[in-house]
Amino acid sequence: MNHPTPVLLRGYQCKCHTSGDATTLLGSIDVETAPQAIRWIRVAVRTLSPTLNSEAFEEAWQWLTEDHHDALQALVQGEPSTLTLQQGSTAIQWTARPVQFLKLTTRQGINFPACAQEYTEPRHQRE
């Protein structure tokens, strides 16, 4: 008996944005697992931490060394997780939340029509 392929896939959506005079999306990523979501946030926070003022740095360090475990547990339990650091008049916020993605078809293993060979990667020309 053939089992149907699931149409919805579980995953996590992560975003980083700043707010102050205006809200700006700095980055986002969709991942398959909660550890991948937390890892994305941890890498961004570690990268940014040397530029933070002392109070924001202490909060970042606390999250990096201990509080990220609570964030991971929240994601695993289906709850969103947020880390907000205040740097002057700007708030930097990372969010991760469980989502369901609609599975799209893939081109792997599919026979392309003959004309597909006509549209290959553009080649760089020397001037």
Side-chain angles (χ1 to χ4, degrees):
M1 176 174 180
N2 290 340
H3 295 284
T5 303
V7 176
L8 296 176
L9 301 173
R10 294 180 191 269
Y12 299 86
Q13 183 180 61
C14 307
K15 293 183 179 182
C16 176
H17 66 271
T18 60
S19 57
D21 295 337
T23 299
T24 303
L25 178 65
L26 298 177
S28 66
I29 188 171
D30 298 329
V31 295
E32 295 178 0
T33 68
Q36 289 171 332
I38 296 301
R39 187 176 313 117
W40 183 77
I41 296 171
R42 290 185 77 208
V43 167
V45 172
R46 274 195 305 256
T47 302
L48 183 65
S49 64
T51 66
L52 298 173
N53 62 36
S54 59
E55 184 178 327
F57 179 84
E58 290 299 321
E59 289 180 43
W61 187 253
Q62 175 66 30
W63 193 88
L64 287 169
T65 57
E66 296 187 28
D67 296 347
H68 73 278
H69 296 293
D70 295 336
L72 177 60
Q73 191 62 28
L75 287 176
V76 168
Q77 293 175 354
E79 301 169 12
S81 180
T82 300
L83 169 63
T84 304
L85 300 174
Q86 190 70 36
Q87 175 73 11
S89 62
T90 302
I92 308 162
Q93 185 174 72
W94 290 268
T95 58
R97 63 187 181 94
V99 294
Q100 290 186 337
F101 298 107
L102 180 61
K103 183 175 182 176
L104 301 176
T105 60
T106 177
R107 292 202 231 184
Q108 293 176 344
I110 295 176
N111 293 325
F112 291 109
C115 65
Q117 301 303 320
E118 295 176 27
Y119 303 101
T120 59
E121 297 273 330
R123 295 185 184 177
H124 298 288
Q125 296 179 351
R126 293 185 181 175
E127 294 182 22

